[in-house]
Amino acid sequence: MLMKKNKDLEALIERIDNNVANNYKDAAQDYLKQYETRLQELLEKNALKDKQKAHYESLLDNYKERLKEFRHKDQKPYWT
C-alpha cells in the first residue's frame, strides 16, 4: 500500500532538492528550516499518520545530516 504524501512537505522537499542540485546553499538551508517548522506544526496537530510521521522525520534527519556543512561560509576555496 502506498503512503499518501503530504503536499506541503513534498513541495518543500522538492525546493530543497532543486536548490541543492543548483548549489543554492542559502536557499536550501532556508527551505530546510521551513520544512522542519511545517513538519513540527503537522506533528503537533496529529495531522500525519504513523507511516507519514516516520517517513518525514527520517527525511528531516537525512537532510540535516546532508546539509550540515552545505553553506557558503563552509566552502573551501579551490585554490588552497
Side-chain angles (χ1 to χ4, degrees), residues 2-7 9-10 35 39 42-43 46-59:
L2 289 177
M3 177 188 73
K4 188 171 182 337
K5 294 182 177 184
N6 180 284
K7 288 180 184 169
L9 295 177
E10 290 297 323
Y35 175 79
L39 179 58
L42 292 169
L43 292 174
N46 284 326
L48 299 175
K49 295 186 170 120
D50 287 343
K51 266 188 172 179
Q52 290 175 313
K53 197 184 303 186
H55 172 72
Y56 288 121
E57 285 176 333
S58 170
L59 279 177

Side-chain angles (χ1 to χ4, degrees), residues 4-77:
K4 188 171 182 337
K5 294 182 177 184
N6 180 284
K7 288 180 184 169
D8 289 350
L9 295 177
E10 290 297 323
L12 289 167
I13 288 167
E14 188 176 328
R15 289 186 179 124
I16 293 168
D17 288 339
N18 287 340
N19 283 297
V20 167
N22 290 310
N23 208 26
Y24 298 148
K25 297 176 180 179
D26 296 335
Q29 293 291 344
D30 288 343
Y31 283 118
L32 178 59
K33 285 181 190 141
Q34 288 179 37
Y35 175 79
E36 185 172 17
T37 301
R38 185 67 183 130
L39 179 58
Q40 288 305 319
E41 290 169 357
L42 292 169
L43 292 174
E44 287 169 14
K45 294 179 187 172
N46 284 326
L48 299 175
K49 295 186 170 120
D50 287 343
K51 266 188 172 179
Q52 290 175 313
K53 197 184 303 186
H55 172 72
Y56 288 121
E57 285 176 333
S58 170
L59 279 177
L60 177 62
D61 292 341
N62 290 342
Y63 277 118
K64 280 182 162 181
E65 186 61 33
R66 216 171 109 201
L67 300 181
K68 191 176 1 186
E69 295 189 10
F70 191 70
R71 294 182 180 88
H72 287 293
K73 70 181 183 74
D74 296 325
Q75 194 170 345
K76 306 284 183 267

